Amino acid sequence: ISITFQMIITQKKKLSVYTELFKDGVIVVKNTKNKSGFDNLEKIKLLKGLASKGIVYENYSWKYHYFTLNVNGIEYLRRTLNLPNNIVPSTYTRL
């Protein structure tokens, strides 16, 4: 007998992660409970799905996942979040 579990992530949580990713350009996630009210496992799985679509780059080191937004991801998140073209992640701005 094989049991499969399916993770259901609400649209509100997805938009929260997408907004955080677009704002900073990078998300660092550890395998622990998060103060925002949902497990980091949900965030990791959501971002791994984006990595499989070529929207983010993923690096893993010492229980930390590093997800970096790429150019395709910027366009995807602009469409998803209905943002204008002049708004860019903070990693793309100069001081």
Side-chain angles (χ1 to χ4, degrees):
I1 296 176
S2 175
I3 298 175
T4 353
F5 293 99
Q6 184 176 7
M7 187 174 296
I8 299 173
I9 302 173
T10 64
Q11 189 69 19
K12 183 179 177 182
K13 289 180 183 179
K14 282 183 187 179
L15 290 178
S16 169
V17 173
Y18 289 172
T19 304
E20 180 183 351
L21 177 61
F22 191 84
K23 185 182 117 197
D24 297 332
V26 176
I27 291 184
V28 179
V29 187
K30 187 178 179 184
N31 262 347
T32 59
K33 290 282 186 180
N34 193 353
K35 294 176 184 161
S36 66
F38 62 99
D39 193 12
N40 280 351
L41 181 61
E42 292 177 336
K43 191 182 281 189
I44 291 168
K45 293 301 179 183
L46 178 63
L47 291 166
K48 278 183 175 265
L50 294 178
S52 71
K53 294 177 185 176
I55 294 172
V56 296
Y57 299 119
E58 178 190 8
N59 291 319
Y60 180 77
S61 178
W62 291 90
K63 294 187 180 183
Y64 285 92
H65 293 268
Y66 300 89
F67 295 96
T68 308
L69 192 60
N70 61 24
V71 177
N72 295 335
I74 292 173
E75 294 303 318
Y76 174 79
L77 290 180
R78 276 191 186 135
R79 286 192 309 269
T80 305
L81 299 172
N82 297 320
L83 297 172
N85 288 337
N86 61 346
I87 298 177
V88 294
S90 63
T91 53
Y92 282 77
T93 59
R94 290 188 176 181
L95 298 177

